[in-house]
Amino acid sequence: TTRPADIPDPHAEVAHIVRLALVSRGRLAPGLPESRAALRSGLLHAARGILARDLRQPGLSPGAVARELGISLRQVHVLFEPTGQSFARTLTAMRLADASRMLVAQPARSVTDIAYRCGFDSIATFYRAFRAAYGMTPNDAREKGRHTDH
């Protein structure tokens, strides 16, 4: 089976973790290509963790992630390049998935409230992104989810 680009290979992830441990213990030189790859993998994992934690914060930005990780803004963007999705696209996809779940789980909550709660700063942007990602409006997705659950 094939795995989407944004889901890491577990074997490679374990190898990166082992290499990071070896670097931290002075058993592997930090400048080696495999050491740098392990560090990039660790930073990407940490960046995704920040995105997941702060997903609903409208001010979440590459700059905020860079500051928290202690790396440059350019480095944050470079971290996401191998995934095939930019920082912004990754964040939008995560927010849309959160909103999609909320639409079905909280039918009494308005679409507008869900959009803002999930970190979108514009209803128009939310609707445009939702339709592009799912091929339907948020209301259509809510209705479809309601019928699927019963």
Side-chain angles (χ1 to χ4, degrees), residues 14-129:
V14 170
H16 289 319
I17 292 167
V18 169
R19 287 186 185 115
L20 285 173
L22 291 171
V23 169
S24 74
R25 288 180 171 76
R27 306 291 219 143
L28 189 63
L32 294 175
E34 55 268 23
S35 301
R36 289 193 307 271
L39 181 58
R40 276 191 310 275
S41 175
L43 287 169
L44 177 59
H45 181 76
R48 284 183 170 149
I50 294 166
L51 292 181
R53 182 194 71 206
D54 296 344
L55 190 61
R56 295 182 176 180
Q57 302 301 317
L60 181 57
S61 68
V65 173
R67 283 188 298 281
E68 187 165 338
L69 293 177
I71 61 176
S72 73
L73 182 59
R74 174 76 184 125
Q75 285 174 302
V76 168
H77 290 294
V78 169
L79 287 177
F80 285 87
E81 285 177 2
T83 71
Q85 281 197 316
S86 67
F87 175 95
R89 286 181 187 244
T90 300
L91 179 58
T92 298
M94 292 173 77
R95 284 178 169 164
L96 287 171
D98 190 30
S100 182
R101 283 188 298 273
M102 286 180 73
L103 285 165
V104 175
Q106 300 178 21
R109 189 178 295 269
S110 74
V111 172
T112 300
D113 186 45
I114 289 172
Y116 286 124
R117 184 174 287 273
C118 290
F120 287 91
D121 58 2
S122 156
I123 299 307
T125 299
F126 173 67
Y127 269 89
R128 194 169 32 256

